[in-house]
Amino acid sequence: MSVTIDLSADKRVPFIDEDGATIVFVGENFAGGSYAMHIRNHPGDTGTPIVSLAGATAGTQGISVTYDTDYIYVDENGDDQTGPASLVLIQIDEATIEGLSLGTPTDEPVILHYDLHVTPSGAAKRVVSRGKFIIDPGVTI
């Protein structure tokens, strides 16, 4: 099952979540799998993506996954729970973000689209997340 999650990046800094996990999948084990994510102007665009990410080591541009058997999360009732989860870290370096075009006019955010494919070890490839990839132009240059 795929979830829709809009991601927001700032223009002149790297895209990486400070908590170490951009997207958490409770009950899933994606560690040791393969990963792909494209960012494009519109869903269904063909040709070369604006940004293409694949599996990478944490701390470098790409997608890395950590499997935590004792992940603490809040359930739908607001209660703390502990269980296994895959923590998917998406990193896009500052140079890549800086190389993307500004909006028109330049003070408007750029709205792109992404989807994230995961092929868990021993399982079929699937889209686990999709949504808008929004780049805020910021102020500091």
Side-chain angles (χ1 to χ4, degrees):
M1 178 197 320
S2 175
V3 295
T4 299
I5 301 172
D6 293 340
L7 303 174
S8 295
D10 293 305
K11 179 68 171 161
R12 293 172 182 86
V13 296
F15 175 76
I16 186 166
D17 185 62
E18 295 173 357
D19 295 328
T22 300
I23 307 173
V24 176
F25 294 92
V26 174
E28 298 276 6
N29 186 353
F30 296 152
S34 61
Y35 321 100
M37 179 176 149
H38 287 174
I39 299 173
R40 298 179 184 268
N41 283 313
H42 303 284
D45 279 357
T46 59
T48 304
I50 295 169
V51 176
S52 179
L53 302 173
T57 304
T60 61
Q61 180 166 291
I63 302 160
S64 59
V65 175
T66 303
Y67 183 65
D68 185 344
T69 57
D70 295 315
Y71 184 75
I72 299 170
Y73 63 97
V74 178
D75 68 14
E76 61 276 356
N77 298 319
D79 298 323
D80 286 349
Q81 300 292 329
T82 303
S86 289
L87 288 68
V88 178
L89 176 65
I90 301 166
Q91 180 173 333
I92 304 174
D93 293 340
E94 181 176 353
T96 301
I97 295 285
E98 186 61 28
L100 301 176
S101 298
L102 289 168
T104 306
T106 59
D107 65 339
E108 292 295 319
V110 175
I111 299 175
L112 304 170
H113 300 269
Y114 81 95
D115 62 14
L116 173 61
H117 290 214
V118 173
T119 308
S121 182
K125 177 171 74 169
R126 65 185 200 233
V127 176
V128 296
S129 178
R130 70 184 80 213
K132 295 176 184 173
F133 191 89
I134 303 163
I135 302 170
D136 188 289
V139 176
T140 303
I141 296 178

